[in-house]
């Protein structure tokens, strides 16, 4: 005979994962803690196999449990077990992290190649400019001394014809003639049409 005012000494079964999810959906923090303790090793193991990096795996595992906390009300026991539902979330999150990481790596690689090509082009342009400058200087040396002076002052010094005439103490017309004749010889020497 049972005494009605005494509690039953029969042990109760521990809550199932499904029970814990239902309680988490109601905001039960103790249920979430119990669910976390039960599922964290499996979730982390799955994530670790996919993501590989331990630090990123820990971050992803934390994100998964935040998702479980926020989406617990969406769990439908008729569609499957709670463990499967959590592991599907874990798998999706881990794959998303790998894809995002790969996309970031690809983007960095493309940017690095672009920057390398730009710097390569800059070097190429600089070398071409130096070679062209050498070519022009050699061609300048083939001119008479007075033509060289007039052209260097006008083109490299930035002086006007009037200022060149004043510096060389010659008439402006003479400066113009020296520059014109020198430029014709330079054009012929450099093969410019």
């Amino acid at each position: 005979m049972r005494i009605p005012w005494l509690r039953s000494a029969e042990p109760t079964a521990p809550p199932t994962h499904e029970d814990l999810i239902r309680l988490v959906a109601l905001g039960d923090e103790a249920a979430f803690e119990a669910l976390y303790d039960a599922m964290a090793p499996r979730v982390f193991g799955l994530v670790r196999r996919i993501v590989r990096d331990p630090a990123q795996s820990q971050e992803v595992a934390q994100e998964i449990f935040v998702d479980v906390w926020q989406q617990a009300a969406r769990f439908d026991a008729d569609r499957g077990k709670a463990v499967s539902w959590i592991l599907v979330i874990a798998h999706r999150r881990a794959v998303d992290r790998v894809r995002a990481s790969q996309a970031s790596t690809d983007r960095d690689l493309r940017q690095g190649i672009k920057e390398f090509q730009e710097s390569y082009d800059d070097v190429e342009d600089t070398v071409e400019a130096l070679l062209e400058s050498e070519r022009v200087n050699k061609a300048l040396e083939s001119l008479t001394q007075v033509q060289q002076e007039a052209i260097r002052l006008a083109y490299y010094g930035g002086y006007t014809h009037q200022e060149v005439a004043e510096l060389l103490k010659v008439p402006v017309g003479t400066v113009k003639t020296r520059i014109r004749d020198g430029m014709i010889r330079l054009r012929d020497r450099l093969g410019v049409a």
Side-chain angles (χ1 to χ4, degrees), residues 3-175:
I3 302 173
W5 60 85
L6 291 177
R7 289 191 152 194
S8 172
E10 296 176 23
T12 58
T16 64
H17 291 103
E18 287 74 17
D19 295 334
L20 292 173
I21 289 276
R22 282 188 208 99
L23 292 171
V24 168
L26 299 172
D28 188 328
E29 291 179 16
F32 180 74
E33 187 177 328
L35 184 65
Y36 179 88
D37 290 343
M39 291 297 302
R42 288 183 73 180
V43 167
F44 182 75
L46 173 65
V47 171
R48 181 79 166 84
R49 282 192 303 276
I50 296 169
V51 176
R52 303 212 184 246
D53 178 72
Q56 282 195 36
S57 296
Q58 288 176 349
E59 285 179 29
V60 173
Q62 289 174 355
E63 293 169 4
I64 291 161
F65 282 102
V66 169
D67 284 351
V68 168
W69 174 260
Q70 293 172 341
Q71 298 179 26
R74 292 183 178 177
F75 171 70
D76 183 1
D78 295 335
R79 296 182 69 196
K81 294 191 174 280
V83 171
S84 300
W85 182 73
I86 293 170
L87 292 177
V88 165
I89 292 172
H91 185 266
R92 287 181 182 159
R93 271 284 186 169
V95 169
D96 287 348
R97 175 62 64 99
V98 169
R99 286 180 180 156
S101 181
Q102 185 62 46
S104 176
T105 300
D106 292 348
R107 191 172 39 256
D108 291 346
L109 180 62
R110 283 192 305 273
Q111 184 63 30
I113 289 170
K114 181 180 173 189
E115 288 172 3
F116 175 76
Q117 287 173 338
E118 287 172 358
S119 67
Y120 177 78
D121 291 344
D122 290 346
V123 170
E124 182 182 19
D125 292 344
T126 303
V127 169
E128 283 181 21
L130 286 171
L131 291 174
E132 188 63 27
S133 177
E134 278 183 35
R135 217 173 132 228
V136 169
N137 281 330
K138 284 187 181 189
L140 269 172
E141 290 172 6
S142 70
L143 303 178
T144 66
Q145 186 64 35
V146 291
Q147 288 173 335
Q148 284 183 40
E149 280 179 327
I151 289 173
R152 286 184 196 276
L153 288 171
Y155 288 95
Y156 293 113
Y159 293 104
T160 64
H161 290 159
Q162 180 65 43
E163 292 169 331
V164 172
E166 290 170 8
L167 288 169
L168 296 177
K169 300 182 183 354
V170 295
V172 174
T174 304
V175 167

